[in-house]
Amino acid sequence: MKTKAVRLYGKNDLRLETFELPPVGEDEILAKVVCDSICMSSYKATHEADIHKRVPRDVQQRPVIIGHEFAGEIVEVGAAWRHAFKAGDKFSIQPALNDAQGPVGILSAPGYSYRYIGGDATHVVIPNAVMANGCLLHYTGDGYYPASLAEPLSCVIGAMHANYHTTPGSYLHRMEIRDGGNMAILAGVGPMGLAAINYAIHRTGRKPRFIAVTDIDRTRLDRAALLYSPAEAARNGIELRYVNTGQLDDPVDALKALTGGKGYDDVFVFAPVAPIVEQADALLAFDGCLNFFAGPAKTGFKAALNFYNVHYAGTHVVGTSGGNTDDMKEALDMMGQGLDPAGLVTHIGGIDAVIDTTMNLPSIPGGKKLIYTHIDLPLTPVAGFEALGETNPVFAELHRLCERHHGLWNVEAETYLLAHAGDI
């Protein structure tokens, strides 16, 4: 079968190509990709290419398909996996395979490392390593985009599971955020910050009592407050405050005052900016945990930490860059129970939009850019449907469907798009 896919050949060298996939082996699966959410990690891999830890050194000779936040439908199953999967099954993939035999060893991942599997393609061959490591996951919910966004949601799920707190007088570390504690989500109204807010207020079990979300962009803060309102958080037992730190003379004092001066048990940093890291460190309460979530593009990134507090107040730092398979399963389970990640999506596009979007992702405002790989469509903001609808009936209907869902992308709109994509 032929596939149309975006492949990485070298630094800033992405190419949209049509080529033949190899025959499906007995331990492989042929799949149709429906959608892929473009991640900042793809931007980094594109700009670093063969020096990136997940990209093969010989990528110029053996190009890889990019995109790792994807979902679709199984087409053909090799004999070895027919007991677990069948044609027509919807799927999501955990890209962190921990495949020691992969093209770059243990860090090998679809969307970075493999020639015939990645999210920015019409069809892919799923290698045995994905199934053998339990990383091909069934999705039984509505639509496809929730399964695509399960991977970024799993990253924030993993971050909250990875935080820890200590037990005075012992060497026992208690994993997870502090139940009933104070949480700060700094630079927290980008796509991943929104996912963290969504998860924190809707998860069952362990929850914070208070969450402060910060940013310096009033428009983005206002949008976040509409998507995940303080009233909605209160219904789930959480006090939620959105804070524009750009308007504060002393953000640390103001944010600490919201906790009665105690500080924050769990602080998540969603932008690789040294002053924000230092602000996070200053906000920590006794035994506070700082999670540096945002991956820096520069290998020499540094920020100052208060080691007096490390010694006397037990403050500590962790860093997470993704979730594991259990986190993906938790994300998919929450999607199946009605958790909708649509608030992350601000743009849609077709496979022809992948290259420009990936290459310029940091400069494109908004949240997640969702690509439908079987259509050609320039990257289009959901907020722009109304204007486009004045001359295009497809966009007029997409606007109507999104308005029914508070201006958000939704399963109805996705279904309509896929049925009428040829008219675009």
Side-chain angles (χ1 to χ4, degrees), residues 185-378:
I185 300 176
L186 306 186
V189 291
M192 299 308 293
L194 292 175
I197 300 165
N198 194 5
Y199 175 69
I201 65 177
H202 290 115
R203 67 181 297 194
T204 56
R206 190 173 291 265
K207 292 185 178 182
R209 177 199 64 82
F210 174 72
I211 303 175
V213 179
T214 75
D215 204 272
I216 58 173
D217 187 317
R218 172 51 58 192
T219 300
R220 299 208 313 170
L221 282 163
D222 289 344
R223 179 175 184 270
L226 285 173
L227 296 175
Y228 310 113
S229 69
E232 181 182 358
R235 288 192 290 271
N236 289 276
I238 297 170
E239 181 185 354
L240 173 63
R241 294 281 294 271
Y242 290 95
V243 182
N244 187 342
T245 51
Q247 296 178 340
L248 300 174
D249 293 331
D250 191 331
V252 171
D253 278 356
L255 289 166
K256 273 195 169 182
L258 298 177
T259 67
K262 176 187 174 183
Y264 293 81
D265 303 290
D266 298 281
V267 181
F268 294 86
V269 176
F270 280 90
V273 179
I276 297 178
V277 177
E278 292 167 5
Q279 182 184 104
D281 177 49
L283 290 171
L284 291 172
F286 184 88
D287 187 38
C289 185
L290 188 165
N291 188 306
F292 182 60
F293 185 94
K298 296 181 179 180
T299 58
F301 179 83
K302 297 177 182 178
L305 296 179
N306 186 325
F307 281 88
Y308 182 91
N309 287 341
V310 170
H311 186 84
Y312 287 105
T315 59
H316 45 275
V317 177
V318 300
T320 53
S321 61
N324 62 24
T325 303
D326 285 339
D327 300 326
M328 278 283 289
K329 290 177 179 177
E330 183 178 348
L332 289 167
D333 183 61
M334 291 184 73
M335 305 288 193
Q337 295 180 42
L339 182 76
D340 191 346
L344 278 67
V345 179
T346 57
H347 295 69
I348 63 165
I351 196 167
D352 55 320
V354 170
I355 293 177
D356 285 345
T357 302
T358 303
M359 294 281 289
N360 299 291
L361 194 58
S363 62
I364 304 174
K368 279 290 184 182
K369 284 70 183 177
L370 188 64
I371 297 297
Y372 288 92
T373 61
H374 288 261
I375 68 174
D376 288 331
L377 175 69

Side-chain angles (χ1 to χ4, degrees), residues 11-201:
K11 292 180 182 178
N12 303 318
D13 187 358
L14 293 175
R15 306 177 195 177
L16 177 59
E17 301 175 314
T18 299
F19 55 94
E20 195 77 30
L21 290 172
V24 177
E26 289 196 353
D27 60 355
E28 296 176 326
I29 290 177
L30 177 67
K32 171 186 175 181
V33 177
V34 174
C35 57
D36 176 64
S37 172
I38 297 182
C39 177
M40 188 64 73
S41 295
S42 293
Y43 165 83
K44 294 172 187 174
T46 297
H47 285 263
E48 294 177 7
D50 58 357
I51 66 170
H52 191 282
K53 295 294 185 182
R54 294 188 186 275
V55 176
R57 304 289 83 87
D58 63 349
V59 68
Q60 289 185 339
Q61 292 76 40
R62 298 167 63 84
V64 298
I65 301 175
I66 65 166
H68 61 276
E69 298 178 359
F70 61 103
E73 188 174 297
I74 290 173
V75 175
E76 179 185 341
V77 182
W81 292 105
R82 288 175 188 161
H83 65 284
F85 302 97
K86 67 181 185 302
D89 285 351
K90 293 198 291 187
F91 72 87
S92 182
I93 281 182
Q94 159 61 274
L97 304 182
N98 297 317
D99 176 19
Q101 304 305 313
V104 294
I106 200 73
L107 291 177
S108 298
Y112 301 91
S113 318
Y114 293 88
R115 298 186 68 192
Y116 301 117
I117 180 173
D120 292 315
T122 56
H123 294 82
V124 296
V125 175
I126 305 175
N128 182 64
V130 176
M131 286 74 76
N133 284 284
C135 293
L136 181 60
L137 305 175
H138 288 283
Y139 172 63
T140 58
D142 294 332
Y144 291 92
Y145 76 84
S148 178
L149 294 172
E151 196 281 334
L153 180 59
S154 78
C155 295
V156 299
I157 290 174
M160 295 196 188
H161 292 336
N163 268 30
Y164 71 92
H165 298 280
T166 61
T167 302
S170 81
Y171 300 109
L172 177 66
H173 287 180
R174 290 170 286 111
M175 302 305 297
E176 262 283 5
I177 63 168
R178 188 178 298 281
D179 193 25
N182 297 321
M183 176 185 292
I185 300 176
L186 306 186
V189 291
M192 299 308 293
L194 292 175
I197 300 165
N198 194 5
Y199 175 69
I201 65 177

